[in-house]
Amino acid sequence: MSGLRMKQMVHSFGDITVLNGVNFHVQSGEVHALLGMNGAGKSTLMNILAGVLQPTGGTIEIDGQLYTFSSPKDAKRAGIGHVVQEVDAALFPALSVYENVLAEQIVEQPNMLFSKTNKRAFVLQLLERVGLAHVSLDTPVQTCSLHEKQLILLARVLSSSARYIILDEPTASLSEEETKRLFAMIEQLKVQGVSFIYISHKLHEVKRICDRMTILRDGTVVYEGDVSLPTEQIVRHMVGRQPETRNTFAREKSEETIFEVKQLYIPKTKTTVDLAVRRGEIVGIAGLVGAGKTELAESMIAHVKTTGERLLHEKKQTWNSPKDAIEAGVCLIPEERRKQGLFMNETIEKNLTVRLLSNIAAWQWIQKRKERALATRLISSLRIRPSSPNALVKHLSGGNQQKVVIGKWLQTNSDVLIFDEPTKGIDAHAKEEVFSIIRTLAEKGKAIIYLTSECQELLHIADTIYVMVDGQLIKQIDAQEATYEQLVYDMTGGGTN
Amino acid sequence: MKFLHKYGTMLAIVIVIAFFSFSLDSFFTYANFSDILRSISIVTLVAIGITFSLIVDGFDLSVGSTVSLATIASASALVLHRQELFVALIVPLLLGALVGLLNAFLIIRLRLPDLLATLAVMYIINGVQLTYTKGFSIYNDMPLPEGGVAPGKFIPSFLFIGQGELFGIPFSVLLMLFVVVCAHLFLTYTKFGRLFYMTGENREAAHLTGIPVNRYRTYAYMISGLFAALGGIVLASRIGTGQVSAGASLLMDGVAAAFIGFSVFGIGKPNVIGTLLGSIFIGVLLNGLTMMNVPYYAQDIVKGALLIFALALSHMVKK
């Protein structure tokens, strides 16, 4: 029997069941989409297939033969290939294309010496198959474009004659043109009998390239079949019935625009953005991972070099660094809080007062008593645990760390606060606390920009929601009128094409 | 274990002092301790400079050469150019700050790795002072190539810095203690000090918090150069000549002192009080070994081993 069958796959991490008897079937020579929201179990299923995780229960059958993978090596031998999303993590930047394609063969080969010429014909043929015939074998991979790197990785996967290839968000950072070329290549390989498992959030692309699809929700298959299903229905399958936790009160809106960007250029996506936020307003920006939200946030506060106009209180601003933005009153609570937001080896107190040293210092001399009073006040108003100002930030939970990052700005003169994925990796209770802090800030008249890929959060907290796709704000919706399904539909590119 | 973590370094110093006191008659005397303090005063000044560069998560290998350059600059100003005290102090200090500025330019603007950039500068500066002196030391009444003898000499007010005493305590020791206290207060209690530490702790977070990180890093390298120059002045005054490459050996001692300082009281960060204690530790050890007739070349082995010990300790404390 041909094809790949995963039967009754069960997997749990501790008490949490991630896969609940999943049946997944890929026919040979097809492109099969695997869809689902974050946390639906897609990654776990694919990690099992790639031999990275060992399932709690279930069987894997490939072309009629039963397999148990105890390592990625086993999976490769059985013909499973995995093109990861972060291609750079799988390549050796300083080595040549030739060496990168052959990486797995070099590891496996029994003799000590490695020939730089022996397999040139073999590699050339592989590159030709993935449409990279024009790339020289001796080019170091670091000089290749992202698209080329992806194809080099694909060539490597093909070198071990993989017949089932997992593509994880392959178009996340590709241009339209590159996407087209990738799809053409997939079509070709399909004819040669290679099957693909295609993971993506971009539904219009799924419809373009895939033959069939499986939709996962909460570790269970909710749909398996043709991709011609209307996008609305696909979204409904992915989302399921969600409890309506929405912002029921329509808050009064000020007409006073506090911060505005016009034609702000985002270097990474090569797009421009127009955005305005009013006094007391929470503007939500919904976008998938890779849609350019972080880049937008960093452009707004001049963390990256950019062009375009910024208006604060209707006055034109010229900022060269975050310092200028902060002094004018715009600050960022960054996505990577450990890396970008905190001084991990310092105390809660020092983290909280770092922006306020001028207020608590006389002649540059920090007044210990004032600092302590300030820190204690912030700690109790934010309910940071532990409440000791001398506790080191690195010992705090994610939620409490996030409160420290936010707390740093509370007493400053910032009028605009930009939150980039503020609830990432924090528990439900801390999430509620963060929401309530943000609401309080808005009620005090601060302008809030809230960027996230968890769009149910925006229904909960935002007044106005923008949808961001591929670096552009494609839609503006009043939060009172938005629905979760609609947002997912728009975010996944249902509205485009 | 916790006790060792916190007081291990202090304990080591006490043990070393106790050991030498019991095995050497003339070790535990006022004269000898005064001698030890006098000998570490220069190392401590250099090590404080290194501490500043470490605080901003940088490193400065050029301090030894800067000491040599400052020594030559002082001597040249006094002996060859017959200048007064003020010039003999200000010229080396300016040169030190300039070396720091060069380091900062290479590291911040050209984005060279700090170790390699300051290594290169170390060679350049060493070459500069050798080229200037043509490899000869500068001393009182030295013959000049164009005939005659040098017009100036080491004046008493300059020599007082390294050789004089106040209230029976060597002036250089008082200077060192004064600088230690000032640097400690500056780093611990002022806004600037706090921002130096924040810059080193997490540069990106500091940048996103609006701290001008590159400015603080530049200051740190300039301060490092200044302290090395101050060390050079004290050295010139102490030996009363402008010895070429006199500061070379101070780099290793300074680095070891600063890293031993990491672990003092389990702080796990570069700090001035720790640096002072580290420098005392090294001073006591070298003094004792010398009195036990361990030759100076063998002492390098001890110094190297000590640095490894200090680095291992600072890594353990960090964890």
Side-chain angles (χ1 to χ4, degrees), chain A residues 340 342 355 364 366 371, chain B residues 189 191 194 202 204-205 209:
Chain A
Q340 301 179 301
L342 290 168
R355 277 306 307 171
Q364 309 300 340
I366 296 169
E371 180 173 32
Chain B
Y189 295 103
K191 182 183 156 184
R194 182 72 63 82
N202 184 342
E204 182 164 13
T209 307

Side-chain angles (χ1 to χ4, degrees), chain A residues 324-337:
Chain A
D324 298 338
I326 289 161
E327 275 161 12
V330 180
C331 66
L332 170 68
I333 289 87
E335 180 179 8
E336 304 279 341
R337 66 179 158 264

Side-chain angles (χ1 to χ4, degrees), chain B residues 84-169:
Chain B
E84 287 307 310
L85 182 65
F86 177 73
V87 177
L89 296 181
I90 205 74
V91 170
L93 289 177
L94 279 178
L95 285 173
L98 211 62
V99 174
L101 208 55
L102 173 65
N103 283 327
F105 173 78
L106 297 176
I107 293 163
I108 295 163
R109 274 294 136 111
L110 302 187
R111 295 168 192 264
L112 305 183
D114 44 22
L115 268 174
L116 298 176
T118 54
L119 180 70
V121 170
M122 166 180 127
Y123 271 89
I124 292 173
I125 299 305
N126 193 46
V128 166
Q129 55 103 15
L130 281 173
T131 310
Y132 176 74
T133 57
K134 300 189 178 69
F136 297 110
S137 294
I138 298 172
Y139 47 90
N140 285 348
D141 304 321
M142 67 187 280
L144 295 174
E146 57 269 21
V149 295
K153 63 181 182 65
F154 277 88
I155 52 180
S157 59
F158 184 80
L159 290 176
F160 181 78
I161 300 170
Q163 302 174 1
E165 286 189 1
L166 266 184
F167 324 114
I169 305 168

Side-chain angles (χ1 to χ4, degrees), chain A residues 298 301-303 321-323 326-327 332 334 337-346 349-351 353-355 357-358 361 363-368 371 394 408-409, chain B residues 181-182 184-213 215-216 267-269 317-319:
Chain A
E298 292 183 346
I301 63 151
H303 188 42
S321 72
K323 179 171 178 279
I326 289 161
E327 275 161 12
L332 170 68
R337 66 179 158 264
R338 286 155 189 270
K339 202 170 137 268
Q340 301 179 301
L342 290 168
F343 305 97
M344 297 293 281
N345 291 317
E346 297 287 354
E349 176 175 68
K350 285 184 181 173
N351 270 280
T353 57
V354 61
R355 277 306 307 171
L357 294 177
S358 303
W363 299 95
Q364 309 300 340
W365 195 269
I366 296 169
Q367 316 243 284
K368 204 61 209 148
E371 180 173 32
K394 67 176 166 193
K408 171 163 74 178
W409 302 104
Chain B
V181 169
C182 284
H184 174 70
L185 294 179
F186 175 81
L187 284 170
T188 320
Y189 295 103
T190 70
K191 182 183 156 184
F192 297 120
R194 182 72 63 82
L195 297 185
F196 271 114
Y197 273 109
M198 292 306 202
T199 299
E201 177 77 46
N202 184 342
R203 199 180 303 157
E204 182 164 13
H207 183 60
L208 283 173
T209 307
I211 299 170
V213 287
R215 199 184 302 165
Y216 278 94
I267 293 173
K269 284 176 206 155
V317 172
K318 257 188 192 166
K319 271 179 201 162

Side-chain angles (χ1 to χ4, degrees), chain A residues 260-264 307-311 316-317:
Chain A
E260 193 174 1
V261 294
K262 288 178 180 166
Q263 295 291 304
L264 185 73
T307 58
E309 210 177 340
R310 297 189 191 85
L311 294 166
K316 222 180 138 178
Q317 306 286 323

